[in-house]
Amino acid sequence: MALKPAIVNVMEKAARKAARALVRDFGEVEQLQVSRKGPSDFVSAADLRAEETLLHELRRGRPDFGLTMEESGRLPAANAPHATGTPGNDRWIVDPLDGTTNFLHGVPHFAISIAHEENGQVVAGAVYQPLTDEFFWAVRGTGAYLNHRRMRVSSRGAMADALLATGLPFRGKPKHPAYGATLEAILPRVAGVRRFGAAALDLAWVAAGRYDGFWEFDLEPWDVAAGLLLVREAGGMASDIAGRDRTWTGAEVLASNTALHGDLRRLVGDAVRGAGDTGE
């Protein structure tokens, strides 16, 4: 049984406390008060409540950490002078409800994502699915875990056997010209492609070996920070199309086991170039 480090305990306590309200609100999803922050990009009262709870709990656990949160943006450490407004070298990167559209439509596939960044590098991360009580976590250099069980990426080595996941642009998001091209290139060569609408969980499932790979464009750091660490600590690989380690930005994310990563990069890269998009 894996013993969770103190930093993971802080993340787990915060996630579980925020999740209690999310589970309650999910049961009453039709009565939620919902506002729009953009076309097809909803912010629910549940989302905001979860972020408030996470902010309180994470600041209480590590008052010297700054925060970057999906709804609140970049916030200083609790003990930082308000005049500076600048977090220190440690910060939390938080998505209080990854899969908001799923949540609001009663689709039981969403998660809380929390990452700890130290001096520009993510060193710990957690993705929590409240409805299944699955707590995916990792600390750099120590492996990745699902609750107390060690996780490893899949061992499939042939694209024909691979089950991949991706994301697709929705109304109000930039129309990345490569999406259709990548699907056209990949669908005939794999066992299947899934689009479940929660990137943090997609990456956690790659780490757990449920998916063999994942690709998506135009994400944000809070969508991927924790999940990318999970994949790498589970023995997988993550990069952009050119093989560079710029995935933390979310602009381009390709993650898979080591055996399939080259093929995934080639297929996605060729499709992007064929669509006339450089991927930059």
Side-chain angles (χ1 to χ4, degrees):
M1 179 179 292
L3 295 177
K4 299 187 181 82
I7 195 72
V8 174
N9 289 330
V10 172
M11 291 189 286
E12 183 172 17
K13 181 179 178 181
R16 289 187 179 279
K17 187 165 185 178
R20 288 198 289 268
L22 284 179
V23 171
R24 182 190 65 237
D25 288 336
F26 185 73
E28 302 174 2
V29 67
E30 293 182 352
Q31 301 178 35
L32 286 176
Q33 296 297 312
V34 179
S35 62
R36 288 176 182 255
K37 67 176 180 182
S40 295
D41 193 5
F42 303 106
V43 179
S44 69
D47 200 334
L48 296 173
R49 278 194 293 270
E51 181 162 294
E52 183 179 355
T53 299
L54 290 164
L55 174 62
H56 175 77
E57 291 298 317
L58 293 172
R59 275 186 162 168
R60 185 165 70 172
R62 292 292 188 274
D64 54 335
F65 282 22
L67 298 100
T68 295
M69 311 189 82
E70 182 179 10
E71 308 304 337
S72 300
R74 196 169 174 98
L75 301 171
N79 57 7
H82 291 292
T84 66
T86 303
N89 293 328
D90 289 280
R91 66 166 172 157
W92 301 111
I93 303 174
V94 181
D95 190 343
L97 179 53
D98 182 57
T100 303
T101 302
N102 286 347
F103 185 94
L104 291 175
H105 286 78
V107 177
H109 191 78
F110 56 88
I112 295 168
S113 178
I114 307 171
H116 168 211
E117 181 190 79
E118 181 182 52
N119 296 321
Q121 289 191 322
V122 174
V123 296
V127 175
Y128 181 54
Q129 216 293 27
L131 298 181
T132 58
D133 193 30
E134 291 182 311
F135 184 72
F136 304 87
W137 62 275
V139 174
R140 193 173 69 170
T142 66
Y145 297 84
L146 170 51
N147 295 328
H148 294 285
R149 178 176 58 83
R150 183 76 178 262
M151 289 193 300
R152 296 193 184 278
V153 294
S154 75
S155 59
R156 292 183 184 87
M159 289 295 286
D161 299 326
L163 179 63
L164 305 182
T166 190
L168 298 174
F170 49 86
R171 187 164 59 93
K173 290 284 283 185
K175 297 300 186 225
H176 199 302
Y179 274 104
T182 56
L183 282 172
E184 185 176 354
I186 289 174
L187 279 170
R189 293 171 170 81
V190 299
V193 174
R194 302 289 183 262
R195 197 279 189 187
F196 281 1
L201 270 179
D202 287 338
L203 289 165
W205 283 21
V206 172
R210 298 173 184 176
Y211 292 141
D212 302 299
F214 167 78
W215 86 96
E216 190 166 352
F217 311 112
D218 301 321
L219 294 167
E220 300 290 345
W222 47 80
D223 296 317
V224 300
L228 289 170
L229 182 69
L230 291 173
V231 170
R232 287 168 172 151
E233 288 298 318
M237 297 179 67
S239 73
D240 67 3
I241 292 172
R244 297 166 296 193
D245 183 11
R246 303 193 308 170
T247 49
W248 64 270
T249 68
E252 295 174 6
V253 176
L254 286 78
S256 70
N257 66 28
T258 56
L260 295 176
H261 196 71
D263 288 339
L264 181 61
R265 274 186 51 216
R266 178 179 54 79
L267 287 171
V268 173
D270 288 350
V272 167
R273 287 185 288 274
D277 195 301
T278 64
E280 295 294 333

XYZ file of all heavy atoms in Angstrom, residues 17-102:
658
model
N -13.247 17.405 0.061
C -14.188 18.354 0.658
C -14.977 19.073 -0.428
O -16.195 19.232 -0.323
C -13.440 19.358 1.530
C -14.380 20.277 2.313
C -13.665 20.997 3.431
C -14.646 21.816 4.263
N -13.978 22.494 5.400
N -14.309 19.507 -1.489
C -15.014 20.162 -2.588
C -15.958 19.187 -3.289
O -17.030 19.589 -3.764
C -14.009 20.731 -3.576
N -15.558 17.929 -3.362
C -16.355 16.931 -4.076
C -17.689 16.661 -3.399
O -18.663 16.322 -4.083
C -15.562 15.635 -4.193
N -17.774 16.805 -2.090
C -19.037 16.522 -1.406
C -20.159 17.396 -1.947
O -21.274 16.922 -2.185
C -18.867 16.704 0.104
C -18.042 15.614 0.763
C -18.253 15.584 2.265
N -17.660 16.727 2.925
C -16.434 16.762 3.419
N -15.642 15.707 3.285
N -15.969 17.833 4.038
N -19.859 18.662 -2.133
C -20.870 19.570 -2.678
C -21.144 19.276 -4.148
O -22.289 19.381 -4.614
C -20.437 21.023 -2.495
N -20.096 18.917 -4.902
C -20.308 18.592 -6.313
C -21.244 17.393 -6.469
O -22.135 17.399 -7.332
C -18.975 18.278 -6.992
C -18.061 19.450 -7.340
C -16.780 18.936 -7.976
C -18.754 20.435 -8.266
N -21.044 16.374 -5.662
C -21.898 15.188 -5.741
C -23.337 15.559 -5.393
O -24.290 15.121 -6.060
C -21.367 14.077 -4.817
C -22.370 12.931 -4.720
C -20.027 13.574 -5.323
N -23.512 16.373 -4.373
C -24.862 16.810 -4.003
C -25.505 17.604 -5.142
O -26.652 17.365 -5.519
C -24.810 17.667 -2.733
C -26.193 18.131 -2.246
C -26.074 19.166 -1.149
N -25.465 20.399 -1.651
C -24.362 20.935 -1.139
N -23.721 20.337 -0.145
N -23.872 22.048 -1.650
N -24.750 18.537 -5.699
C -25.295 19.359 -6.774
C -25.550 18.547 -8.037
O -26.499 18.826 -8.781
C -24.344 20.516 -7.084
C -24.336 21.580 -5.998
O -25.329 21.680 -5.262
O -23.332 22.300 -5.892
N -24.709 17.547 -8.290
C -24.920 16.706 -9.467
C -26.249 15.982 -9.378
O -26.917 15.769 -10.393
C -23.774 15.704 -9.608
C -23.854 14.872 -10.857
C -23.581 15.425 -12.092
C -24.198 13.528 -10.782
C -23.653 14.662 -13.250
C -24.276 12.757 -11.932
C -24.008 13.321 -13.170
N -26.651 15.630 -8.160
C -27.940 14.972 -7.960
C -29.118 15.901 -8.183
O -30.252 15.450 -8.332
N -28.856 17.192 -8.194
C -29.923 18.176 -8.406
C -29.567 19.082 -9.582
O -29.861 20.274 -9.587
C -30.110 19.015 -7.138
C -30.451 18.183 -5.914
C -30.502 19.005 -4.640
O -30.303 20.234 -4.730
O -30.758 18.432 -3.581
N -28.950 18.494 -10.602
C -28.359 19.285 -11.674
C -29.377 20.171 -12.390
O -29.062 21.272 -12.837
C -27.628 18.361 -12.664
C -28.584 17.463 -13.420
C -26.769 19.166 -13.627
N -30.623 19.736 -12.470
C -31.619 20.520 -13.187
C -31.986 21.807 -12.456
O -32.538 22.728 -13.057
C -32.877 19.684 -13.415
C -32.664 18.528 -14.374
C -33.929 17.732 -14.620
O -34.937 17.989 -13.925
O -33.904 16.869 -15.495
N -31.678 21.883 -11.161
C -32.024 23.060 -10.384
C -30.855 24.017 -10.187
O -30.991 25.027 -9.505
C -32.574 22.633 -9.020
C -33.804 21.748 -9.128
C -34.300 21.299 -7.776
O -34.214 22.044 -6.794
N -34.813 20.082 -7.699
N -29.695 23.691 -10.790
C -28.532 24.554 -10.623
C -28.763 25.909 -11.282
O -29.388 26.017 -12.329
C -27.296 23.916 -11.255
C -26.672 22.739 -10.508
C -25.528 22.191 -11.331
C -26.177 23.176 -9.158
N -28.243 26.941 -10.643
C -28.243 28.262 -11.248
C -27.010 28.349 -12.131
O -25.875 28.224 -11.658
C -28.203 29.341 -10.168
C -29.430 29.349 -9.270
C -30.698 29.658 -10.046
O -30.736 30.587 -10.820
N -31.720 28.846 -9.827
N -27.229 28.576 -13.418
C -26.130 28.532 -14.376
C -25.995 29.869 -15.086
O -26.966 30.477 -15.483
C -26.364 27.423 -15.422
C -25.234 27.391 -16.438
C -26.498 26.078 -14.740
N -24.749 30.333 -15.208
C -24.466 31.529 -15.987
C -23.513 31.155 -17.103
O -22.819 30.143 -17.031
C -23.840 32.623 -15.122
O -22.605 32.183 -14.610
N -23.445 31.973 -18.147
C -22.556 31.696 -19.272
C -21.325 32.578 -19.176
O -21.422 33.750 -18.863
C -23.253 31.984 -20.607
C -24.326 30.988 -20.986
C -24.994 31.431 -22.275
N -26.059 30.516 -22.636
C -25.961 29.632 -23.614
N -24.843 29.535 -24.297
N -26.956 28.834 -23.894
N -20.177 32.021 -19.483
C -18.985 32.842 -19.635
C -18.533 32.862 -21.087
O -17.532 33.435 -21.432
C -17.845 32.363 -18.733
C -17.268 31.015 -19.094
C -16.082 30.710 -18.182
C -15.480 29.352 -18.528
N -14.374 29.008 -17.634
N -19.297 32.226 -21.954
C -18.998 32.185 -23.375
C -19.889 31.150 -24.013
O -20.469 30.317 -23.309
N -20.036 31.146 -25.324
C -20.888 30.164 -25.988
C -20.485 28.736 -25.637
O -19.340 28.351 -25.780
C -20.666 30.463 -27.474
C -20.214 31.882 -27.511
C -19.416 32.092 -26.261
N -21.446 27.974 -25.197
C -21.240 26.556 -24.846
C -20.137 26.342 -23.810
O -19.588 25.269 -23.697
C -20.934 25.730 -26.104
O -22.048 25.727 -26.958
N -19.800 27.360 -23.066
C -18.754 27.229 -22.047
C -19.336 27.762 -20.745
O -19.265 28.935 -20.443
C -17.516 28.021 -22.478
C -16.289 27.684 -21.641
O -16.380 26.779 -20.797
O -15.262 28.338 -21.811
N -19.939 26.855 -19.978
C -20.757 27.257 -18.851
C -19.977 27.266 -17.535
O -19.093 26.478 -17.315
C -21.932 26.296 -18.704
C -22.793 26.200 -19.927
C -22.738 25.088 -20.740
C -23.655 27.228 -20.266
C -23.518 24.990 -21.871
C -24.442 27.142 -21.390
C -24.374 26.022 -22.195
N -20.384 28.169 -16.684
C -19.898 28.159 -15.315
C -21.103 27.968 -14.410
O -22.024 28.767 -14.418
C -19.194 29.485 -14.952
C -18.722 29.437 -13.511
C -18.016 29.723 -15.867
N -21.126 26.929 -13.650
C -22.256 26.653 -12.776
C -21.966 27.131 -11.371
O -20.822 27.381 -10.996
C -22.543 25.151 -12.745
O -21.493 24.491 -12.075
N -23.052 27.251 -10.621
C -22.892 27.585 -9.203
C -22.058 26.527 -8.504
O -21.277 26.823 -7.602
C -24.267 27.697 -8.542
N -22.190 25.278 -8.936
C -21.401 24.193 -8.339
C -19.915 24.392 -8.611
O -19.080 24.163 -7.733
C -21.863 22.850 -8.899
N -19.577 24.791 -9.814
C -18.196 25.042 -10.201
C -17.583 26.101 -9.291
O -16.478 25.937 -8.753
C -18.185 25.529 -11.655
C -16.833 25.379 -12.333
O -15.817 25.369 -11.633
O -16.805 25.289 -13.561
N -18.292 27.191 -9.105
C -17.769 28.291 -8.294
C -17.658 27.908 -6.822
O -16.712 28.285 -6.141
C -18.668 29.520 -8.459
C -18.706 30.093 -9.882
C -19.753 31.197 -9.985
C -17.342 30.618 -10.293
N -18.641 27.132 -6.326
C -18.564 26.679 -4.933
C -17.364 25.754 -4.737
O -16.662 25.831 -3.725
C -19.853 25.970 -4.530
C -20.986 26.908 -4.132
C -22.092 26.156 -3.424
N -22.769 25.234 -4.312
C -23.842 25.554 -5.060
N -24.313 26.792 -5.034
N -24.422 24.671 -5.830
N -17.143 24.863 -5.704
C -16.002 23.946 -5.594
C -14.700 24.719 -5.578
O -13.792 24.407 -4.797
C -16.021 22.944 -6.748
N -14.576 25.738 -6.428
C -13.346 26.519 -6.453
C -13.143 27.257 -5.138
O -12.010 27.325 -4.633
C -13.363 27.509 -7.618
C -12.076 28.318 -7.693
C -11.873 28.979 -9.051
O -11.680 28.245 -10.031
O -11.928 30.210 -9.113
N -14.211 27.784 -4.568
C -14.082 28.493 -3.285
C -13.603 27.553 -2.188
O -12.734 27.907 -1.380
C -15.428 29.117 -2.905
C -15.385 29.924 -1.628
C -16.731 30.559 -1.298
O -17.672 30.449 -2.109
O -16.851 31.159 -0.213
N -14.147 26.339 -2.158
C -13.721 25.351 -1.166
C -12.262 24.965 -1.369
O -11.479 24.889 -0.407
C -14.604 24.098 -1.246
O -15.962 24.463 -0.974
C -14.150 23.043 -0.243
N -11.872 24.723 -2.608
C -10.484 24.360 -2.891
C -9.532 25.487 -2.524
O -8.457 25.245 -1.950
C -10.330 24.015 -4.374
C -10.992 22.706 -4.806
C -11.119 22.647 -6.315
C -10.217 21.506 -4.289
N -9.909 26.707 -2.832
C -9.073 27.857 -2.479
C -8.850 27.913 -0.973
O -7.709 28.063 -0.502
C -9.740 29.140 -2.972
C -9.078 30.459 -2.570
C -7.666 30.559 -3.134
C -9.925 31.639 -3.056
N -9.912 27.752 -0.217
C -9.812 27.821 1.249
C -8.940 26.689 1.789
O -8.047 26.926 2.623
C -11.214 27.758 1.860
C -11.212 27.695 3.351
N -10.978 28.793 4.153
C -11.395 26.649 4.211
C -11.027 28.445 5.418
N -11.272 27.146 5.487
N -9.193 25.461 1.332
C -8.487 24.309 1.877
C -7.013 24.295 1.460
O -6.136 23.969 2.263
C -9.173 23.021 1.426
C -10.530 22.798 2.044
C -10.464 22.658 3.553
O -9.550 21.966 4.043
O -11.320 23.248 4.242
N -6.734 24.632 0.210
C -5.344 24.631 -0.243
C -4.543 25.747 0.410
O -3.364 25.567 0.742
C -5.294 24.747 -1.768
C -5.836 23.539 -2.533
C -5.915 23.847 -4.022
C -4.986 22.299 -2.288
N -5.165 26.896 0.614
C -4.470 27.985 1.313
C -4.239 27.630 2.774
O -3.204 27.991 3.339
C -5.282 29.281 1.199
C -4.993 30.041 -0.077
C -5.683 31.361 -0.096
N -5.085 32.254 -1.090
C -5.616 33.395 -1.490
N -6.773 33.786 -0.990
N -5.011 34.138 -2.378
N -5.170 26.933 3.366
C -4.974 26.533 4.763
C -3.853 25.505 4.870
O -3.053 25.537 5.810
C -6.273 25.944 5.320
C -6.162 25.616 6.810
C -7.508 25.384 7.437
N -8.149 24.159 6.995
C -9.260 23.668 7.520
N -9.874 24.334 8.497
N -9.783 22.554 7.066
N -3.768 24.604 3.894
C -2.737 23.572 3.931
C -1.358 24.089 3.579
O -0.359 23.628 4.135
N -1.291 25.045 2.636
C -0.011 25.620 2.205
C -0.199 27.127 1.977
O -0.358 27.574 0.844
C 0.493 24.941 0.923
C 0.925 23.486 1.085
C 2.189 23.371 1.931
N 2.712 22.010 1.949
C 2.321 21.058 2.783
N 1.365 21.322 3.677
N 2.857 19.855 2.736
N -0.189 27.917 3.053
C -0.445 29.353 2.910
C 0.612 30.102 2.112
O 0.362 31.227 1.666
C -0.499 29.843 4.359
C 0.254 28.824 5.148
C -0.001 27.521 4.463
N 1.786 29.486 1.914
C 2.851 30.156 1.176
C 2.818 29.844 -0.321
O 3.691 30.275 -1.064
C 4.215 29.761 1.745
C 4.427 28.261 1.789
O 3.421 27.515 1.848
O 5.579 27.818 1.756
N 1.805 29.112 -0.788
C 1.671 28.792 -2.208
C 0.770 29.825 -2.889
O -0.282 30.199 -2.361
C 1.027 27.415 -2.415
C 1.951 26.249 -2.193
C 3.107 26.351 -1.428
C 1.647 25.016 -2.745
C 3.941 25.260 -1.214
C 2.460 23.916 -2.555
C 3.612 24.041 -1.783
N 1.157 30.250 -4.092
C 0.237 30.983 -4.942
C -0.729 30.004 -5.605
O -0.627 28.782 -5.437
N -1.668 30.530 -6.369
C -2.640 29.676 -7.045
C -2.930 30.204 -8.440
O -2.944 31.420 -8.658
C -3.963 29.602 -6.279
C -3.955 29.009 -4.867
C -3.956 30.116 -3.836
C -5.174 28.111 -4.664
N -3.175 29.288 -9.355
C -3.776 29.609 -10.637
C -5.016 28.736 -10.757
O -4.919 27.504 -10.759
C -2.819 29.339 -11.808
O -1.711 30.232 -11.709
C -3.523 29.571 -13.141
N -6.188 29.387 -10.826
C -7.462 28.680 -10.823
C -8.254 29.077 -12.062
O -8.172 30.216 -12.529
C -8.237 28.982 -9.550
C -7.413 28.827 -8.279
S -8.358 28.939 -6.753
C -9.008 27.278 -6.603
N -9.025 28.124 -12.581
C -9.710 28.361 -13.851
C -10.602 29.593 -13.800
O -10.599 30.411 -14.724
C -10.540 27.139 -14.249
C -11.232 27.344 -15.586
C -12.047 26.155 -16.039
O -12.244 25.224 -15.240
O -12.503 26.168 -17.195
N -11.387 29.748 -12.739
C -12.324 30.862 -12.692
C -11.709 32.127 -12.091
O -12.012 33.232 -12.533
C -13.575 30.461 -11.881
C -14.225 29.158 -12.323
C -14.602 29.145 -13.788
O -14.771 30.229 -14.375
O -14.704 28.047 -14.368
N -10.858 31.981 -11.093
C -10.329 33.148 -10.368
C -9.034 33.683 -10.947
O -8.596 34.776 -10.573
C -10.107 32.783 -8.890
O -11.322 32.388 -8.292
N -8.379 32.912 -11.829
C -7.122 33.360 -12.401
C -5.960 33.168 -11.440
O -5.975 32.300 -10.576
N -4.955 34.012 -11.558
C -3.724 33.890 -10.765
C -3.872 34.685 -9.469
O -4.197 35.875 -9.492
C -2.537 34.416 -11.580
C -1.184 33.977 -11.028
C -0.077 34.314 -12.025
N 1.239 34.045 -11.484
C 1.940 32.956 -11.719
N 1.431 32.004 -12.472
N 3.144 32.797 -11.209
N -3.615 34.002 -8.362
C -3.800 34.599 -7.042
C -2.497 34.496 -6.247
O -1.756 33.530 -6.386
C -4.918 33.876 -6.276
C -6.296 33.863 -6.935
C -7.237 32.938 -6.174
C -6.874 35.266 -7.015
N -2.238 35.478 -5.374
C -1.026 35.415 -4.556
C -1.163 34.413 -3.428
O -2.259 33.931 -3.121
C -0.911 36.842 -4.002
C -2.321 37.315 -3.938
C -3.012 36.699 -5.129
N -0.059 34.082 -2.799
C -0.089 33.261 -1.599
C -0.876 33.974 -0.513
O -0.964 35.202 -0.484
C 1.332 32.970 -1.128
N -1.459 33.191 0.382
C -2.272 33.771 1.442
C -1.461 34.704 2.335
O -1.983 35.691 2.863
C -2.908 32.666 2.281
N -0.176 34.409 2.507
C 0.659 35.233 3.382
C 1.515 36.231 2.608
O 2.444 36.819 3.150
C 1.549 34.353 4.262
C 2.438 33.422 3.451
O 2.489 33.520 2.223
N 3.125 32.519 4.134
N 1.243 36.402 1.290
C 1.995 37.369 0.495
C 1.412 38.763 0.682
O 0.220 38.915 0.900
C 1.948 36.999 -0.987
N 2.231 39.797 0.617
C 1.715 41.163 0.703
C 0.731 41.415 -0.432
O 1.011 41.133 -1.587
C 2.973 42.029 0.538
C 4.112 41.140 0.871
C 3.692 39.752 0.469
N -0.443 41.948 -0.104
C -1.466 42.178 -1.117
C -0.992 43.177 -2.167
O -1.465 43.163 -3.300
C -2.758 42.684 -0.465
C -3.435 41.640 0.365
N -4.021 40.523 -0.189
C -3.615 41.536 1.710
C -4.544 39.775 0.779
N -4.308 40.363 1.930
N -0.044 44.009 -1.811
C 0.419 45.020 -2.762
C 1.144 44.396 -3.948
O 1.124 44.920 -5.058
C 1.354 46.007 -2.079
N 1.789 43.264 -3.720
C 2.547 42.663 -4.813
C 1.659 41.830 -5.718
O 1.813 41.841 -6.933
C 3.671 41.765 -4.275
O 3.086 40.640 -3.604
C 4.551 42.519 -3.315
N 0.724 41.091 -5.123
C -0.145 40.233 -5.907
C 0.596 39.165 -6.690
O 0.095 38.625 -7.658
N 1.788 38.831 -6.291
C 2.620 37.904 -7.053
C 2.906 36.651 -6.235
O 3.483 36.737 -5.153
C 3.957 38.558 -7.432
O 3.689 39.743 -8.168
C 4.789 37.606 -8.269
N 2.480 35.455 -6.748
C 2.793 34.231 -6.031
C 4.300 33.984 -5.984
O 5.054 34.524 -6.794
C 2.090 33.155 -6.873
C 1.086 33.898 -7.690
C 1.684 35.248 -7.931
N 4.704 33.146 -5.048
C 6.108 32.800 -4.941
C 6.481 31.703 -5.916
O 5.878 31.538 -6.965
N 7.498 30.906 -5.562
C 7.982 29.868 -6.457
C 7.114 28.617 -6.446
O 7.280 27.756 -7.305
C 9.421 29.500 -6.094
C 10.381 30.632 -6.379
O 10.168 31.406 -7.308
N 11.426 30.737 -5.570
N 6.241 28.485 -5.470
C 5.313 27.361 -5.393
C 3.907 27.861 -5.685
O 3.487 28.911 -5.186
C 5.321 26.739 -3.995
C 6.612 25.992 -3.698
O 6.739 24.847 -4.152
O 7.463 26.569 -3.009
N 3.177 27.067 -6.483
C 1.780 27.423 -6.708
C 0.964 26.173 -6.996
O 1.481 25.155 -7.444
C 1.622 28.421 -7.861
C 1.983 27.891 -9.228
C 1.488 28.807 -10.340
N 2.003 28.391 -11.631
C 1.428 28.681 -12.804
N 0.331 29.415 -12.823
N 1.954 28.261 -13.943
N -0.324 26.278 -6.712
C -1.294 25.281 -7.107
C -1.861 25.672 -8.472
O -2.117 26.841 -8.732
C -2.449 25.196 -6.110
C -2.096 24.865 -4.705
C -2.175 25.693 -3.616
C -1.659 23.602 -4.197
N -1.807 25.032 -2.477
C -1.482 23.742 -2.796
C -1.397 22.375 -4.798
C -1.058 22.685 -2.000
C -0.979 21.321 -4.003
C -0.807 21.485 -2.608
N -2.093 24.687 -9.330
C -2.796 24.891 -10.595
C -4.060 24.037 -10.519
O -3.978 22.806 -10.415
C -1.924 24.480 -11.796
C -0.604 25.253 -11.780
C -2.673 24.721 -13.109
C 0.380 24.797 -12.841
N -5.224 24.683 -10.552
C -6.457 24.028 -10.121
C -7.571 24.173 -11.156
O -7.845 25.270 -11.650
C -6.950 24.621 -8.782
C -8.235 23.927 -8.323
C -5.859 24.506 -7.723
N -8.197 23.063 -11.483
C -9.476 23.063 -12.197
C -10.504 22.452 -11.262
O -10.457 21.258 -10.974
C -9.370 22.244 -13.489
C -10.600 22.424 -14.384
O -11.634 22.895 -13.880
O -10.518 22.099 -15.572
N -11.449 23.263 -10.749
C -12.396 22.748 -9.760
C -13.422 21.795 -10.337
O -14.007 20.996 -9.610
C -13.075 24.013 -9.237
C -12.973 24.986 -10.363
C -11.647 24.693 -11.020
N -13.660 21.880 -11.654
C -14.642 20.999 -12.274
C -14.277 20.826 -13.748
O -14.713 21.589 -14.602
C -16.056 21.578 -12.131
C -17.211 20.776 -12.747
C -17.200 19.341 -12.252
C -18.545 21.450 -12.424
N -13.468 19.831 -14.019
C -13.106 19.517 -15.394
C -14.194 18.613 -15.958
O -14.436 17.532 -15.437
C -11.750 18.805 -15.446
C -11.331 18.501 -16.863
O -11.252 19.450 -17.659
O -11.094 17.318 -17.174
N -14.839 19.074 -17.018
C -16.003 18.366 -17.538
C -17.292 19.056 -17.139
O -18.302 18.398 -16.878
N -17.282 20.386 -17.106
C -18.451 21.159 -16.662
C -19.675 20.869 -17.525
O -20.786 20.715 -17.003
C -18.143 22.667 -16.696
O -16.996 22.928 -15.891
C -19.306 23.477 -16.161
N -19.489 20.796 -18.829
C -20.643 20.543 -19.702
C -21.237 19.167 -19.429
O -22.467 19.001 -19.404
C -20.231 20.673 -21.178
O -19.711 21.984 -21.400
C -21.425 20.464 -22.098
N -20.387 18.155 -19.207
C -20.895 16.849 -18.795
C -21.727 16.974 -17.534
O -22.847 16.447 -17.435
C -19.729 15.892 -18.535
C -19.063 15.397 -19.800
O -19.581 15.552 -20.894
N -17.895 14.792 -19.647
